[in-house]
Amino acid sequence: MRKKIMYSFPDEVLEHVFSFIQSDKDRNAVSVVCKSWCEIERWCRRKVFIGNCYAVSPRMVIKRFPEVRSIELKGKPHFADFNLVPDGWGGYVLPWIVEMAGAYPWLEEIRLKRMVVTDESLELIAKSFKNFKVLVLFSCEGFSTDGLAAIAAGCKNLRELDLRESEVDDLSGHWLRHFPETCTSLLSLNISCLGSDEVSVSALERLVGRCPNLKSLRLNRGVTVDKIANILHRAPQLVDFGTGSYSAELRPDVLLNLAGAFSCCKELKSLSGFWDVVPAYLPALYSVCSRLTSLNLSYATIQNPEIIKLVSNCPNLQRLLVLDYIEDSGLEALASSCKDLQELRVFPSDPFGAEPHVSLTEQGLVAVSLGCPKLQSVLYFCRRMTNAALVTIAQNSPNFTRFRLCIIEPKTADYLTLEPLDVGFGAIVEHCKDLRRLSLSGLLTDRVFEYIGTYAKKLEMLSVAFAGDSDLGLHHVLSGCESLRKLEIRDCPFGDKALLANAAKLETMRSLWMSSCTVSFGACKLIGLKMPRLNVEVIDETEPPDSRPESCPVEKLYIYRSVSGPRFDMPPFVWTMDEERKVMH
Amino acid sequence: METERELNLEATELRLGLPGTSDESAKNTTHRSNKRALPEQPVSANMATTSKNCDQETAPHTKAQVVGWPPIRSYRKNSLQPKKSEAEMSGIYVKVSMDGAPYLRKIDLKVFKGYPELIKALEDMFKFKAGEYSEREGYNGSEFVPTYEDKDGDWMLVGDVPWEMFTGCCKKLRIMKGSDARGLGCVV
């Protein structure tokens, strides 16, 4: 009998094995092992993540992965959050929905970030996907409550509707009524971005009451605190709750009811909302505090001692978002009470004020880094900083994965030594070996970029503003940061030299954004010409860049890798190489 | 904008052969007239400093606002403003008495946009005529004069202070008989 060497498993076996591999990275790795694995894998890939909707065309995705059930798409560059990307730039989801409507009738999940979503797109989703379950619109815009009504009415098995931070045109508060009485499948509903008049509370109560599996509910600002008790009583199983406006005329019966309702929610771990807080209603939360792992007070204009009281009662807190009213003293209290803290975000209450009116300084962050050994992720707005503080923070918190510091006044030096903050940020990248995301601020020279290029080997995303002296800075980053995927720069003296010398690097990244820098139109054209797998987009709202000499700097520049060539939906103020790579138009 | 310090790059020849030099001076504002706020153009809409910090001794610089800085999303900036409808929810109800009338009335100051509307409403409610208001002489040619009690407990003539200030400090209204009110017209 001849021994038969098995060269491969049957396809079904491999497919079964691959079904245990969920992460995109691993799936991608599997698909390059050999041709047959690639083939098997592509037929059983159910989930696709596309970090830049222009990096690939819908047709290409559908062709390669014919059986997708879940898709995630991101559109505009991150700086669109701060109004740096003009309206009409792009990021339209409709072409994707149109193609998928035909190709993926069993699509269940659509997650979009920074995309333009129209009512037409929402109506098409509701019509086309019979088993549609999850719609997440993160920082999207372009749709109204009419589109939401279509989703509510059309998606019989809807589990998740999450509109976080999107901009919605409110046309009618009655869209919620379009959820049929038979809809009992909701797990998660986030309507916190809707305005004041867009939701009918009675319809909401009925909907909540008939969805026994509802775990996450985030209300909008129009729902006042006196309405919450009725809602909570209908959903004591909630794990995550976002209040609406935490205010109403102060009445003891309302307060009692509210406290009672909160105490019934034994699974509640996460709270958010808290617009317009009437502090007298805060004690209603105390019964929940001991279980809280996540607390978002970043809209709550409360001060100390209320903040301290609340935070000190939450020993299991892992995530805190708060305004700078917490001040250094509050952060010290946080550091001593919340030893499990992993993520802290402190937002400015008065971002445009010339003078600080709260006592929140570098000391607060130092205290938290000292007291909270698990701290991994920080977003901190403040008005002063020192290298010494940053060094201390870096030494205390080697586990940082995300560090974003925003010193409100651009180019602010170390206030004690008046030196640039290069050494401080250098310490951060040196000590935090797992740092994936970094945002810089303050007075910074090319030196800080040298540190970043040398040490930040795992850095994936870097945000830079009003920093650096010359192209050398940019060169350090592009040549040194091996894991860099996204680089966004504004108002820095970085120009052609570094970009041209590192053009190949750009193909290894998702995207590069540069605005108010000194990159010339000529350099943009050159990169566009030489690098066919990069889309080079020049954005200029004032006049065509070719009406000026080539050496003139462009207003804004967005370069991203793409396998589908230039896009066809560009507005008049965006220029890119045409198909033949000859001309920018 | 920024000053650029020259650094020596001879050791690192960074070129893909692009001819020409980058023209730094051209980057400034010659062709940016249509743009949104730039650092060079001070933008007046700095509500925080003008309205909140009136008690500061040194007036802060009118800060020129740079687009997109500090990096905060617009919905966050908007949420720091008080909700409009919240202010609308609670009216400002004050008692109104008229000398000689058997009982008091109550009105909501929030529903009026200014003094003319308020006076007209009072006139209708109590069937009187207030006469012409002037800063120098108060209400001229009338038997009755509208007055109010302010936060300090003083009786003031209605109409002297800006409307917003009035609605903020008015605790009670009293329509005084002309003879009693004469002294009020000559304040300051």
Side-chain angles (χ1 to χ4, degrees):
Chain A
M1 200 165 80
R2 268 168 63 207
K3 246 192 175 168
K4 206 169 179 199
I5 302 171
M6 205 153 121
Y7 284 107
S8 66
F9 293 115
D11 289 1
E12 301 80 37
V13 174
L14 277 173
E15 207 177 297
H16 182 69
V17 172
F18 293 166
S19 70
F20 294 102
I21 299 172
Q22 303 286 350
S23 98
D24 291 322
K25 274 210 188 108
D26 293 341
R27 280 263 172 178
N28 291 344
V30 159
S31 66
V32 296
V33 166
C34 63
K35 280 205 178 108
S36 69
W37 279 36
C38 184
E39 189 63 18
I40 298 167
E41 193 283 318
R42 76 181 189 90
W43 278 97
C44 66
R45 180 134 14 164
R46 296 281 176 265
K47 213 167 167 208
V48 177
F49 167 76
I50 294 159
N52 175 4
C53 65
Y54 292 121
V56 64
S57 71
R59 293 238 174 106
M60 290 170 97
V61 175
I62 290 167
K63 186 159 182 244
R64 179 159 174 207
F65 301 115
E67 298 282 341
V68 164
R69 298 275 185 276
S70 161
I71 189 161
E72 183 174 347
L73 286 165
K74 295 189 181 180
K76 301 186 203 174
H78 174 239
F79 273 176
D81 283 356
F82 316 125
N83 302 325
L84 288 176
V85 177
D87 278 340
W89 171 85
Y92 306 104
V93 80
L94 186 61
W96 287 86
I97 310 292
V98 167
E99 297 283 348
M100 293 193 299
Y104 296 150
W106 298 111
L107 191 68
E108 294 177 1
E109 305 181 353
I110 296 177
R111 293 180 171 83
L112 305 175
K113 188 170 184 181
R114 282 191 216 101
M115 294 198 77
V116 178
V117 181
T118 55
D119 284 346
E120 189 187 347
S121 306
L122 293 177
E123 283 153 21
L124 195 52
I125 291 173
K127 242 187 356 204
S128 315
F129 308 117
K130 298 300 168 204
N131 203 20
F132 196 70
K133 297 199 172 112
V134 172
L135 182 63
V136 177
L137 302 178
F138 192 163
S139 302
C140 295
E141 48 157 3
F143 60 102
S144 77
T145 46
D146 284 353
L148 296 179
I151 294 285
C155 303
K156 311 284 180 218
N157 294 318
L158 196 66
R159 293 225 191 113
E160 233 181 280
L161 179 60
D162 183 343
L163 307 175
R164 58 173 89 163
E165 298 175 27
S166 290
E167 254 182 64
V168 185
D169 265 342
D170 83 279
L171 303 175
S172 155
H174 298 297
W175 69 272
L176 260 182
R177 294 188 204 280
H178 288 257
F179 278 108
E181 292 298 317
T182 47
C183 171
T184 57
S185 50
L186 273 184
L187 291 181
S188 168
L189 180 64
N190 179 348
I191 52 174
S192 54
C193 63
L194 295 184
S196 295
D197 309 309
E198 282 145 26
V199 159
S200 144
V201 177
S202 56
L204 188 59
E205 279 177 20
R206 283 198 307 279
L207 179 61
V208 167
R210 63 178 184 269
C211 293
N213 297 317
L214 191 68
K215 290 279 186 289
S216 169
L217 176 66
R218 297 194 183 189
L219 306 173
N220 65 321
R221 203 169 174 179
V223 180
T224 47
V225 77
D226 51 316
K227 309 276 193 315
I228 292 179
N230 280 341
I231 295 172
L232 286 178
H233 277 302
R234 284 168 167 78
Q237 75 283 1
L238 280 178
V239 173
D240 166 48
F241 181 61
T243 74
S245 178
Y246 206 70
S247 72
E249 217 181 290
L250 188 54
R251 282 169 38 199
D253 58 316
V254 171
L255 178 58
L256 264 173
N257 283 343
L258 187 61
F262 270 119
S263 62
C264 289
C265 297
K266 306 287 185 202
E267 311 291 322
L268 200 51
K269 293 218 175 56
S270 163
L271 281 178
S272 58
F274 298 112
W275 288 279
D276 320 306
V277 174
V278 165
Y281 278 117
L282 287 174
L285 301 171
Y286 288 168
S287 63
V288 188
C289 285
S290 59
R291 288 188 289 274
L292 280 187
T293 56
S294 170
L295 181 57
N296 183 349
L297 293 173
S298 63
Y299 301 106
T301 49
I302 53 175
Q303 324 253 354
N304 291 328
E306 276 80 29
I307 306 181
I308 296 185
K309 239 188 265 182
L310 211 45
V311 152
S312 313
N313 275 315
C314 302
N316 292 311
L317 207 57
Q318 293 170 15
R319 188 169 183 263
L320 177 66
L321 282 67
V322 73
L323 287 172
D324 57 9
Y325 291 130
I326 192 172
E327 298 193 321
D328 290 340
S329 55
L331 290 174
E332 278 154 30
L334 179 70
S336 50
S337 316
C338 305
K339 295 304 183 185
D340 281 345
L341 196 71
Q342 294 173 18
E343 180 176 353
L344 174 67
R345 297 193 190 201
V346 180
F347 295 94
S349 54
D350 183 19
F352 304 113
E355 302 294 324
H357 65 288
V358 289
S359 177
L360 180 102
T361 69
E362 78 282 5
Q363 295 305 324
L365 189 54
V366 171
V368 179
S369 73
L370 252 167
C372 303
K374 298 189 188 166
L375 194 62
Q376 273 181 18
S377 171
V378 167
L379 171 62
Y380 199 74
F381 284 82
C382 61
R383 288 173 192 272
R384 70 177 207 198
M385 187 51 61
T386 64
N387 282 309
L390 281 171
V391 171
T392 306
I393 290 165
Q395 288 168 342
N396 291 334
S397 308
N399 297 323
F400 276 159
T401 52
R402 291 190 287 267
F403 187 73
R404 296 196 276 162
L405 179 66
C406 179
I407 304 168
I408 290 180
E409 182 65 33
K411 304 200 194 173
T412 303
D414 176 323
Y415 79 93
L416 289 178
T417 64
L418 300 183
E419 283 174 6
L421 291 171
D422 301 335
V423 166
F425 279 105
I428 295 281
V429 291
E430 192 185 343
H431 290 275
C432 306
K433 305 214 187 293
D434 290 324
L435 197 66
R436 292 195 315 262
R437 185 168 180 185
L438 177 65
S439 298
L440 306 173
S441 60
L443 182 65
L444 297 165
T445 71
D446 283 346
R447 197 90 178 287
V448 73
F449 299 109
E450 196 183 341
Y451 291 136
I452 292 172
T454 305
Y455 293 111
K457 295 306 181 187
K458 298 241 179 98
L459 193 66
E460 296 177 8
M461 182 170 179
L462 178 64
S463 308
V464 186
F466 305 101
D469 309 308
S470 75
D471 274 62
L472 200 51
L474 180 56
H475 175 67
H476 283 308
V477 171
L478 289 177
S479 58
C481 297
E482 292 159 4
S483 311
L484 197 63
R485 292 189 299 116
K486 290 179 281 182
L487 179 57
E488 48 184 22
I489 302 172
R490 61 163 297 174
D491 294 275
C492 295
F494 298 150
D496 299 346
K497 292 194 197 111
L499 210 50
L500 295 174
N502 293 283
K505 169 75 172 175
L506 299 179
E507 265 189 27
T508 69
M509 292 165 51
R510 182 186 297 172
S511 66
L512 166 69
W513 170 278
M514 292 178 73
S515 56
S516 306
C517 297
T518 52
V519 179
S520 72
F521 187 52
C524 295
K525 285 203 291 186
L526 192 59
I527 297 176
L529 186 66
K530 300 260 181 176
M531 315 285 304
R533 284 182 302 194
L534 290 180
N535 279 357
V536 178
E537 292 188 9
V538 172
I539 299 169
D540 198 322
E541 288 181 278
T542 52
E543 62 186 6
D546 53 13
S547 65
R548 305 191 292 270
E550 268 197 10
S551 53
C552 280
V554 298
E555 197 179 287
K556 295 172 185 173
L557 166 65
Y558 185 48
I559 301 179
Y560 55 91
R561 65 181 175 190
S562 175
V563 292
S564 63
R567 57 187 177 113
F568 303 108
D569 59 357
M570 290 185 308
F573 53 81
V574 176
W575 281 265
T576 195
M577 299 304 281
D578 72 355
E579 298 228 306
E580 287 89 58
R581 306 251 140 212
K582 289 213 181 76
V583 165
M584 273 239 180
H585 67 106
Chain B
M1 297 188 225
E2 305 82 43
T3 55
E4 194 165 308
R5 294 190 291 193
E6 302 283 16
L7 280 188
N8 237 327
L9 287 176
E10 348 142 317
T12 50
E13 187 62 32
L14 303 176
R15 261 172 233 276
L16 254 188
L18 177 69
T21 52
S22 57
D23 187 5
E24 267 93 45
S25 60
K27 88 180 172 204
N28 279 326
T29 54
T30 47
H31 37 260
R32 289 185 184 180
S33 47
N34 306 344
K35 283 199 64 169
R36 292 167 285 187
L38 289 182
E40 290 82 13
Q41 297 170 7
V43 174
S44 58
N46 199 344
M47 295 193 295
T49 45
T50 49
S51 59
K52 280 194 195 163
N53 302 344
C54 333
D55 48 346
Q56 274 193 314
E57 281 156 39
T58 55
H61 295 302
T62 344
K63 278 193 58 174
Q65 279 188 41
V66 177
V67 174
W69 191 267
I72 305 173
R73 305 209 40 209
S74 27
Y75 68 80
R76 242 180 221 292
K77 289 184 234 169
N78 295 339
S79 74
L80 295 174
Q81 260 92 73
K83 195 173 73 155
K84 236 191 252 177
S85 52
E86 189 215 334
E88 280 154 14
M89 270 193 315
S90 52
I92 304 181
Y93 282 93
V94 294
K95 289 186 192 168
V96 191
S97 64
M98 173 148 144
D99 294 353
Y103 53 83
L104 280 58
R105 301 294 302 270
K106 234 182 182 173
I107 56 167
D108 179 4
L109 293 180
K110 276 260 150 169
V111 314
F112 303 111
K113 300 245 179 6
Y115 287 119
E117 282 176 46
L118 170 65
I119 304 296
K120 179 86 179 30
L122 291 175
E123 288 176 348
D124 289 342
M125 201 183 257
F126 289 94
K127 312 280 182 283
F128 74 103
K129 277 270 171 256
E132 282 286 4
Y133 169 80
S134 73
E135 225 176 283
R136 272 190 65 224
E137 301 184 26
Y139 290 89
N140 226 339
S142 155
E143 213 192 333
F144 292 98
V145 176
T147 66
Y148 70 101
E149 184 182 31
D150 73 359
K151 277 195 176 130
D152 303 324
D154 298 321
W155 285 97
M156 316 285 290
L157 191 69
V158 169
D160 285 339
V161 300
W163 175 255
E164 274 74 44
M165 200 187 288
F166 167 73
T167 55
C169 66
C170 169
K171 285 182 37 210
K172 251 191 242 183
L173 280 164
R174 179 180 159 199
I175 301 170
M176 270 186 199
K177 257 221 168 81
S179 46
D180 296 334
R182 211 164 290 135
L184 288 174
C186 317
V187 173
V188 176

